[in-house]
Amino acid sequence: MKNCKKHFLVTLIVLMLGQFLAPKAAHSQVIEVGGSVGLSYYMGDINPSKPFNQSQLGWGALVRYYNDTRWAFRLAYSNLQLNGSDKASGYRPERGLSFNDNVNDVALIAEFNFFDYFTGSKRHGLSPYLFGGISVLSFNPKADDGTALCNVLTDVDYDGTMPSDGDAKYSKVAVSIPFGVGVKYSLGKKLGIALEWRWDYAFTDWLDDCHAYYPTENNEYSDPTNFTGNSGETYIQRGNKYNNDWYGYLNFSLVYKFVLPGGTDCNARDKYKNY
């Protein structure tokens, strides 16, 4: 599934580059402002293969800019709750790991409509679309009792040495690549809705605070089932440090349209009145 997502992203990037390199004429400018709500979920070392496992409520706000009827660009903020546990996913229940996380994500995204689309159009008010971009996110995984796991001894450093107890071992700010599919529908002259499924590939493996090996000094957060204590071994693999984490957001959005005449198109409102 991850390979399919990566191929999808490469295809979208090629389409975006073609749009940026193509010569452009002046068009009216359309701005849409709105919000989104939906289900957010995590996939990683604790849940590697089950989308929507322990999904939570997510919400967001967006500003979308149209330069024509095929391409749009949006700035979006998303507040996504992520949960994961070995018990719920059934992947490695002997570890007994769990976490909850609140991700704040700010993304710049390009959208490509398969058909001509314009909110308020009588003939072109429906289109599926692809999208992709880049985002910056902040996160802070916590245990069930609210303890911030980043500041607790839960793993070993890359070189196998122990980090100092209480020291933050990793950055709680990262970059991700958001991409996905959706469909837009015009409700009226000023209102539009969309249903989309967004995936984010995060350039961090710490959304779940699970990475590499068990620490040699056990605590209730790093080894809640005392798995390493029962085995008597050291440096047992606790997570896969070569696979970064993912998160998803299946959401419904509602937007309100503003038409702003721009370039040489002084009659933008009349031009798109019955488009």
Side-chain angles (χ1 to χ4, degrees):
M1 184 175 181
K2 291 182 178 180
N3 288 334
C4 292
K5 291 178 180 178
K6 291 178 181 178
H7 293 157
F8 174 90
L9 183 58
V10 170
T11 301
L12 183 59
I13 291 174
V14 172
L15 288 172
M16 291 170 59
L17 289 176
Q19 166 67 7
F20 293 142
L21 295 176
K24 296 179 176 60
H27 296 282
S28 68
Q29 298 173 355
V30 175
I31 301 292
E32 295 179 343
V33 178
S36 67
V37 64
L39 296 176
S40 57
Y41 64 92
Y42 140 89
M43 294 182 69
D45 290 317
I46 295 177
N47 174 38
S49 60
K50 295 180 179 180
F52 300 104
N53 184 261
Q54 293 186 271
S55 57
Q56 302 292 314
L57 180 67
W59 62 272
L62 64 98
V63 177
R64 179 184 286 120
Y65 165 78
Y66 282 96
N67 192 47
D68 56 36
T69 58
R70 287 298 182 104
W71 283 93
F73 303 89
R74 79 176 188 247
L75 179 66
Y77 164 76
S78 302
N79 183 281
L80 307 177
Q81 301 295 322
L82 306 181
N83 278 15
S85 77
D86 284 326
K87 181 178 180 180
S89 69
Y91 176 59
R92 287 183 60 187
E94 74 279 358
R95 289 184 307 192
L97 298 179
S98 64
F99 80 99
N100 60 80
D101 208 339
N102 181 35
V103 170
N104 291 281
D105 179 290
V106 177
L108 183 61
I109 292 174
E111 302 173 355
F112 175 74
N113 300 322
F114 284 98
F115 310 136
D116 287 329
Y117 174 85
F118 190 81
T119 301
S121 171
K122 296 179 179 179
R123 293 180 296 168
H124 301 281
L126 176 67
S127 179
Y129 64 96
L130 303 175
F131 64 90
I134 189 169
S135 70
V136 177
L137 63 130
S138 65
F139 62 99
N140 185 21
K142 295 182 179 181
D144 293 337
D145 63 1
T147 299
L149 297 175
C150 183
N151 296 318
V152 178
L153 186 61
T154 58
D155 215 332
V156 294
D157 283 346
Y158 289 98
D159 60 0
T161 60
M162 298 302 299
S164 300
D165 193 7
D167 290 344
K169 309 182 302 304
Y170 51 86
S171 173
K172 292 184 283 187
V173 177
V175 174
S176 75
I177 301 297
F179 59 98
V181 295
V183 60
K184 301 175 183 176
Y185 178 71
S186 175
L187 285 177
K189 292 183 178 180
K190 295 291 185 179
L191 293 177
I193 58 175
L195 177 66
E196 72 173 34
W197 190 2
R198 168 178 162 176
W199 305 288
D200 275 77
Y201 174 76
F203 288 93
T204 179
D205 190 33
W206 291 106
L207 293 182
D208 51 12
D209 193 68
C210 181
H211 177 90
Y213 308 101
Y214 284 96
T216 55
E217 298 177 11
N218 181 44
N219 63 43
E220 62 179 303
Y221 302 106
S222 64
D223 191 4
T225 62
N226 196 32
F227 178 71
T228 57
N230 292 331
S231 69
E233 299 180 30
T234 59
Y235 296 117
I236 297 175
Q237 186 171 355
R238 183 167 175 265
N240 188 346
K241 67 179 182 180
Y242 299 107
N243 286 341
N244 287 341
D245 294 327
W246 294 73
Y247 55 97
Y249 184 33
L250 178 66
N251 68 89
F252 167 85
S253 63
L254 175 68
V255 296
Y256 183 85
K257 180 191 73 175
F258 299 89
V259 179
L260 306 175
T264 60
D265 195 350
C266 298
N267 300 313
R269 295 181 186 274
D270 293 333
K271 176 179 178 181
Y272 289 107
K273 185 176 181 180
N274 297 308
Y275 187 85

